[in-house]
Amino acid sequence: MRLMNSKPSRSMRLALNLLPFVLLLIIYTLASDARLLENPSDKLLPSWSSFADAIQRMAFEPSKRTGEYLLWVDTISSLQRLLLGVGISALIGLVIGVANGMLPLFRATLSPLVTAVSLIPPMAILPILFIVFGLGELSKVMLIIIGICPILIRDLQLRTQSLPVEQLLKAQTLGANTWQIMVRVVLPQVLPPLLNAVRLTLGSAWLFLIAGEAIAATEGLGYRIFLIRRYLAMDVILPYVLWIAVLAFLMDTILRLISKRAFPWYHGKRGEE
């Protein structure tokens, strides 16, 4: 049997999924023990007990200064900014992407602008955003939108243009107007790719969020990481980074499940399990 045709069982797939993480934990434990044995006050690779103490302090004990549970306050603040930025980007990307793909006049007007904006590094215009929108929530949300929205627009434009021409011709033959074709023919077929595109841009959205919070914020996961880095508090930084990874993974999983439940025909056509 060819290797490309070999599929793991459910239990084997789970074991293979966990294997890289187990290896990383083993490597970290060995490296941490070696460094702490040489220098018990080493801060670069804290022990697991240090992580437990930091998590207890940040998540389950109120701050002595504010009385808040810092991890949860930071999480809520970051998720609010992220979800707002990603949601607005997805909506704009869907509308303009489909319009660019369907309407030649619309595409001739906006496509060059979208392409140009997508090629500008969002971090390069971060100071401009702070000057124009201030240091509040709007500038951070706008950074996420400017960072991922052009990518979503271009992806959905290409998806729309790649639809079979025969479908559009048949719909026109049956008397459908442009709006009806967009809503009944195009929209159902680009919604699954939209969810996939959002999943792929989540990493970039988190990057822009963390960057914005690091520069101008009073709470948030990125703000907290950059605040305590001056103390070399790796026992807090690493759990925060891991927590961000967990949140991103959960968001990706939720979007994947929504896509499978809402569009089973799309995943069945692709032969996904």
Side-chain angles (χ1 to χ4, degrees), residues 15-28:
L16 291 175
N17 289 339
L18 294 177
L19 179 60
F21 298 99
V22 173
L23 291 177
L24 287 175
L25 290 177
I26 293 174
I27 293 173
Y28 179 88

Side-chain angles (χ1 to χ4, degrees), residues 25 28-29 32 46-53:
L25 290 177
Y28 179 88
T29 301
S32 176
S47 64
W48 294 110
S49 59
S50 299
F51 286 137
D53 293 339

Side-chain angles (χ1 to χ4, degrees), residues 95 98-99 102-103 177-188:
V95 173
V98 171
M102 278 288 296
L103 308 176
N177 57 35
T178 301
W179 174 253
Q180 291 172 328
I181 293 174
M182 292 175 67
V183 173
R184 298 186 180 183
V185 178
V186 177
L187 186 60

Side-chain angles (χ1 to χ4, degrees), residues 29-96:
T29 301
L30 295 175
S32 176
D33 290 344
R35 290 186 66 92
L36 291 175
L37 183 61
E38 181 179 348
N39 179 14
S41 61
D42 181 75
K43 293 184 176 182
L44 182 61
L45 298 177
S47 64
W48 294 110
S49 59
S50 299
F51 286 137
D53 293 339
I55 293 173
Q56 173 69 26
R57 185 173 67 255
M58 301 298 292
F60 304 108
E61 294 179 3
S63 169
K64 295 180 180 179
R65 185 173 65 88
T66 63
E68 298 174 330
Y69 295 88
L70 296 180
L71 177 63
W72 307 118
V73 171
D74 293 334
T75 300
I76 292 173
S77 298
S78 292
L79 286 180
Q80 286 177 340
R81 296 164 184 149
L82 183 75
L83 294 177
L84 184 59
V86 172
I88 294 175
S89 298
L91 180 60
I92 296 175
L94 177 63
V95 173
I96 299 181

